[in-house]
Amino acid sequence: MQPYTMPISTGYGEQPMKRYLTARVRYKRAREPQLRMARLRLLLLLGALSVITAASIKPAYSSDVEMFKLYAHMKVANDTQYRCLVSLWYLESKWNPTARNPKSSAFGIPQLLKMKETNPYKQIDLGIKYINHRYDGSCCKALAKHKKSGHY
């Protein structure tokens, strides 16, 4: 049996189809490095964003802070004074019992000078004692002073 020797035609002639396929292949090959670079840039961008996002995620709000605030609320019976105290100590230390002021020796939740106390509840007691002594027990006066001068 003889093999089929007649060429298969697409109807367009062999040259135009060959030229079209060659141009299409050349186009795809010419774009490969661009596509590869685009994919690489995209992956680098996604990686950088994931690192930035992971670094900027803060841990969940500590339940310890809520306990400190509850303790302070028990010590400061007046609700208005308590709200002023919460604002004041948020501005000072964000209720962080290990907060340090790099410009002074202030430490802890109330940011008292030369305080060595590490127990947050005792820090709260000392801070309220200081406010009672210096501002006649008015946390709102202490907050107003802080807003004017940056400290209380």
Side-chain angles (χ1 to χ4, degrees):
M1 183 152 174
Q2 284 280 2
Y4 187 75
T5 57
M6 194 142 178
I8 299 175
S9 174
T10 59
Y12 295 106
E14 296 305 312
Q15 276 308 7
M17 183 58 88
K18 188 175 180 184
R19 242 184 286 137
Y20 170 75
L21 289 176
T22 305
R24 183 88 174 142
V25 169
R26 273 195 309 245
Y27 175 74
K28 280 189 170 187
R29 283 203 167 167
R31 288 208 37 175
E32 276 181 13
Q34 292 171 342
L35 292 174
R36 212 174 297 131
M37 286 302 294
R39 277 193 297 262
L40 180 63
R41 286 181 184 148
L42 180 64
L43 287 174
L44 287 173
L45 179 64
L46 288 174
L49 285 175
S50 65
V51 167
I52 290 170
T53 304
S56 66
I57 292 177
K58 296 178 181 175
Y61 193 69
S62 172
S63 62
D64 291 342
V65 171
E66 292 302 319
M67 294 301 291
F68 302 154
K69 288 181 181 179
L70 182 61
Y71 181 77
H73 200 307
M74 291 186 323
K75 295 291 184 171
V76 180
N78 185 336
D79 192 50
T80 304
Q81 295 298 318
Y82 167 72
R83 289 180 191 176
C84 289
L85 182 71
V86 168
S87 297
L88 175 66
W89 286 352
Y90 181 81
L91 291 171
E92 286 287 327
S93 67
K94 296 189 177 25
W95 288 84
N96 181 357
T98 60
R100 295 183 184 278
N101 187 334
K103 297 178 182 176
S104 70
S105 63
F107 177 77
I109 294 172
Q111 289 289 291
L112 297 179
L113 295 174
K114 300 177 186 171
M115 182 166 59
K116 304 289 185 219
E117 185 61 55
T118 57
N119 182 337
Y121 298 102
K122 289 184 181 178
Q123 289 178 7
I124 292 168
D125 288 338
L126 292 171
I128 292 172
K129 183 178 175 183
Y130 172 76
I131 290 172
N132 286 337
H133 173 73
R134 178 92 189 254
Y135 299 98
D136 299 324
S138 176
C139 299
C140 293
K141 285 182 184 176
L143 179 61
K145 166 79 164 76
H146 185 279
K147 286 182 177 180
K148 285 180 186 174
S149 64
H151 58 84
Y152 72 104

